[in-house]
Amino acid sequence: MHAAVVTVFLATYLLVATRRLTWLPVGRVAGALLGAAVMVAIGGLTPAQSFAAIDHDTILLLFGMMLLIVYLERGGLFARVVAGALTLARTPGQLLVLVSLLSGILSAFLVNDAVCLLLTPIVVALGVRAGLPLAPYLLAICTSANIGSAATLVGNPQNMIIGNLSGLGFGEFMALAGPPALVGLAINTGLLWLYYRRRLPAGSLPAAPDRVLAIDPLVLPVLALVTIGFLAGLHLGYTALAGALVFVVRDRRAPEAALAKVDWGLLVFFCGLFIVVQALANTDLPARVWAGAAPSQLGSPGELAAFTGLLALGSNVVSNVPMVLLAGPEIAAYADPRMAWVLLALVTTVAGNFTLLGSVANLIVAEQAAPQHELGFFEYLRFGVVSTLLVLPAVVAVLWCELRWLSG
């Protein structure tokens, strides 16, 4: 039975990771669903166990955030923020720095995938109009979005899962993960400028349009109230959903148009992935691998480095969300679970910058920009490897110093 479960897991991962296979071109979502169904069919999980394996809090939070973002985008928030930021940029180099910071900061409080989806077309259009090379700006969007999203429990799906598994509050997690993520964002932004400043044209950018973009007067109050709810410790999923429902009630019409923009495929994908990973976890194989490879505690720099290396490797082998699901049950054994949970979030997220395939956000940016610029695997790799190797030790070191200061 164990061999069959492992085989199904590997086959599912192949379908998910490659996204399209010539012999079974069903895509990522159908691949996860197929893996889940086969796991139940072979007895890896009972139907009841498969339902219980789905992290409903994470699914609700992801849905609530996606629906809220639809209304925030419709209300002009993103267009206004981007327009305001771009008016500050006088040169292509300044624009690169602003795009990096904007992507990272927005992703800390909104799902990074959605930020990339909304920001990429705007930046590409501006780059084409100004005659700029697009690669530096595309790399700024996706790499900074990944790093910035590590700062909070609502920045990306893996952090949402960690929030549910760990019991850490929104404010507590942000206080611990925020400073390392901010340092990582600064390093990544500086590295982008060093890498590409000579490739950017000299001179000034074309003047921004004078037209003032209107913003829905309800947008900022709702966003503020949702953030306050997060910080107050209210249920994250229902708080995000409540924010979206304010717009539904205000509009006084059926929300089909907004619901149509929700990425239902992503929600289905995560449901299937939860089932497949739980079936693998029930074999005890991940627990045995963890016992043999992970350090028993995190009390020294060497143990911290080993823990970081294991998570980074695992995130690039099985992807970050499965890595979080597999490592989660083992975190309680550490003397300081808070440090282990925050490290799990930081490392699995930053490690997604290593390759173009390491993060869904990276793929979203590449696909959105494809008609104007094909962001290639090796073009990405030349920056992604260096960024990850510099940012990852820095964020771990900052967290280590932060926790030692708090404890002493």
Side-chain angles (χ1 to χ4, degrees):
M1 175 60 71
H2 287 184
V5 169
V6 172
T7 300
V8 172
F9 175 82
L10 293 175
T12 303
Y13 176 71
L14 185 63
L15 288 170
V16 168
T18 55
R19 304 177 70 227
R20 289 185 298 272
L21 292 176
T22 55
W23 51 272
L24 192 59
V26 298
R28 183 178 65 189
V29 176
L33 276 179
L34 182 61
V38 173
M39 284 296 192
V40 174
I42 65 175
L45 291 174
T46 66
Q49 288 173 329
S50 72
F51 300 148
I54 297 173
D55 188 336
H56 301 93
D57 284 332
T58 298
I59 297 298
L60 176 61
L61 176 56
L62 194 54
F63 167 74
M65 288 298 298
M66 288 193 291
L67 187 59
L68 177 61
I69 287 168
V70 170
Y71 282 104
L72 295 179
E73 190 270 338
R74 181 185 290 179
L77 175 66
F78 293 96
R80 185 65 179 267
V81 168
V82 170
L86 294 181
T87 56
L88 299 176
R90 303 299 183 188
T91 67
Q94 291 177 3
L95 178 63
L96 181 63
V97 171
L98 279 172
V99 166
S100 177
L101 295 177
L102 185 63
S103 179
I105 292 168
L106 286 176
S107 295
F109 299 98
L110 303 168
V111 183
N112 62 343
D113 295 349
V115 170
C116 290
L117 191 64
L118 294 166
L119 194 58
T120 303
I122 299 173
V123 173
V124 167
L126 177 68
V128 170
R129 182 167 67 93
L132 302 175
L134 293 180
Y137 300 95
L138 299 178
L139 288 166
I141 294 171
C142 57
T143 58
S144 295
N146 285 329
I147 296 169
S149 73
T152 72
L153 291 176
V154 298
N156 57 58
Q158 61 268 24
N159 279 20
M160 295 179 186
I161 295 169
I162 288 171
N164 187 45
L165 295 177
S166 68
L168 290 172
F170 183 89
E172 181 182 12
F173 181 92
M174 186 171 65
L176 293 172
L182 188 61
V183 169
L185 179 61
I187 293 172
N188 191 66
T189 302
L191 189 61
L192 283 162
W193 186 81
L194 288 173
Y195 253 65
Y196 297 109
R197 70 187 191 280
R198 290 195 174 94
R199 289 182 51 188
L200 300 176
S204 301
L205 292 171
D210 293 331
R211 183 169 60 93
V212 177
L213 299 171
I215 187 169
D216 187 331
L218 200 56
V219 162
L220 295 180
V222 168
L223 189 58
L225 288 173
V226 169
T227 303
I228 291 170
F230 288 161
L231 292 171
L234 301 181
H235 189 280
L236 296 180
Y238 278 109
T239 301
L241 183 60
L245 289 174
V246 171
F247 293 99
V248 174
V249 173
R250 190 279 307 273
D251 290 348
R252 298 175 62 188
R253 63 175 182 264
E256 277 83 356
L259 290 171
K261 293 187 175 183
V262 170
D263 190 346
W264 295 101
L266 184 62
L267 297 176
V268 172
F269 167 74
F270 277 112
C271 288
L273 196 61
F274 282 130
I275 294 169
V276 170
V277 173
Q278 184 59 53
L280 179 67
N282 286 354
T283 66
D284 289 333
L285 178 62
R288 291 200 299 270
V289 171
W290 182 273
S296 58
Q297 292 300 331
L298 302 175
S300 69
E303 291 171 330
L304 199 64
F307 187 80
T308 299
L310 176 63
L311 295 179
L313 178 63
S315 296
N316 280 281
V317 171
V318 301
S319 190
N320 46 23
V321 171
M323 188 65 207
V324 166
L325 291 171
L326 293 171
E330 314 300 329
I331 298 300
Y334 286 98
D336 187 357
R338 287 190 314 163
M339 181 178 190
W341 283 118
V342 177
L343 268 177
L344 182 62
L346 289 169
V347 175
T348 55
T349 301
V350 173
N353 278 342
F354 197 81
T355 72
L356 182 63
L357 303 177
S359 165
V360 174
N362 299 347
L363 296 173
I364 288 173
V365 171
E367 290 175 359
Q368 288 283 302
Q372 285 77 31
H373 180 84
E374 190 72 33
L375 184 61
F377 181 86
F378 290 104
E379 181 180 37
Y380 180 97
L381 192 69
R382 284 192 292 272
F383 179 80
V385 169
V386 177
S387 173
T388 305
L389 292 178
L390 290 177
V391 171
L392 194 55
V395 298
V396 172
V398 172
L399 178 63
W400 169 265
C401 295
E402 188 178 14
L403 285 170
R404 286 179 67 86
W405 178 76
L406 289 173
S407 63

